[in-house]
Amino acid sequence: MSLPHALLGLLARHPASGYDLCKLFDTSLSFVWPATRSQLYAELTRLAATGLIEPSAAGPRGRREYAITSAGRQELVRWLTEAGLVPAQRNQTMLRVFFLWVLPPDTARAYLAEIAGHSRAFHERLRHLATALDAHPTADGFERCGRIMLEHGLRTSAAQAEWADWASRQLPSSRGGSATPHPTEPSTRSPH
């Protein structure tokens, strides 16, 4: 996913001002593609310059609405239907986990506890949003697909918190002993 395509997708629903797009982005797509307000406004300027969106004349207090053009809609459809999935993205958190062996066990455990805590907090934010959405179900495709995406966040944040707790138990004790995976938990040892 890219920021320009995210904005095209939001504008495919209906025209909106930069301010409205920032608010909508913050409550929907920021969970999977964080962007600052300045990045969003800069991207709107680029999309307008390339003819993928069209700004309206400035209204009161300089308010300007943007609408997707037919070229913008074609680009959005092209992006949505292009063959092949994007390969795995870089994940700095997991890269650090790979090298936790360099740290003392207590420090490594603290890092994993931080992952678990952030995952649980993120899960809680998403759960509140899901509760609000589920209280007012709609047949609108935009909101239905948003809820589907939200469910992915709920499930993966819960799984990540559970994984971080498990990973912490795999580390050796601070006294230099070795950790032994619980028999019902996955083993980190290679079968070869």
Side-chain angles (χ1 to χ4, degrees):
M1 179 175 145
S2 67
L3 187 54
H5 293 105
L7 289 170
L8 288 173
L10 293 176
L11 289 170
R13 188 175 187 209
H14 54 69
S17 69
Y19 175 79
D20 292 336
L21 285 167
C22 287
K23 280 180 28 182
L24 183 56
F25 197 92
D26 190 48
T27 59
S28 60
L29 297 176
S30 67
F31 300 115
V32 295
W33 198 266
T36 64
R37 195 171 288 263
S38 62
Q39 288 172 316
L40 293 172
Y41 277 105
E43 197 56 57
L44 287 171
T45 301
R46 280 191 287 278
L47 288 169
T50 59
L52 297 178
I53 63 172
E54 185 174 73
S56 67
R61 293 175 284 161
R63 182 182 167 96
R64 182 182 305 268
E65 282 200 339
Y66 296 88
I68 192 168
T69 63
S70 61
R73 191 170 291 276
Q74 287 173 355
E75 171 55 22
L76 179 60
V77 169
R78 183 209 60 78
W79 175 74
L80 286 168
T81 58
E82 71 184 354
L85 295 174
V86 177
Q89 300 296 308
R90 294 176 178 159
N91 185 326
Q92 186 172 207
T93 301
M94 289 301 108
L95 182 60
R96 288 178 178 181
V97 167
F98 190 82
F99 293 107
L100 285 181
W101 58 270
V102 172
L103 300 174
D106 289 343
T107 306
R109 255 192 285 295
Y111 181 73
L112 291 167
E114 186 177 348
I115 292 172
H118 283 298
S119 298
R120 285 187 179 91
F122 184 60
H123 182 83
E124 194 60 22
R125 280 180 60 206
L126 295 181
R127 193 181 62 73
H128 286 297
L129 184 55
T131 300
L133 287 174
D134 293 346
H136 305 288
T138 178
D140 177 58
F142 178 86
E143 290 182 9
R144 180 172 290 145
C145 288
R147 180 61 179 88
I148 290 169
M149 182 185 72
L150 181 61
E151 188 64 27
H152 176 269
L154 284 165
R155 292 177 188 213
T156 56
S157 59
Q160 182 155 314
E162 183 182 326
W163 166 84
D165 290 339
W166 170 85
S168 183
R169 293 190 302 271
Q170 305 312 301
L171 297 175
S173 70
S174 57
R175 292 180 295 280
S178 62
T180 306
H182 188 279
T184 61
E185 296 177 327
S187 172
T188 57
R189 296 182 189 179
S190 171
H192 301 290

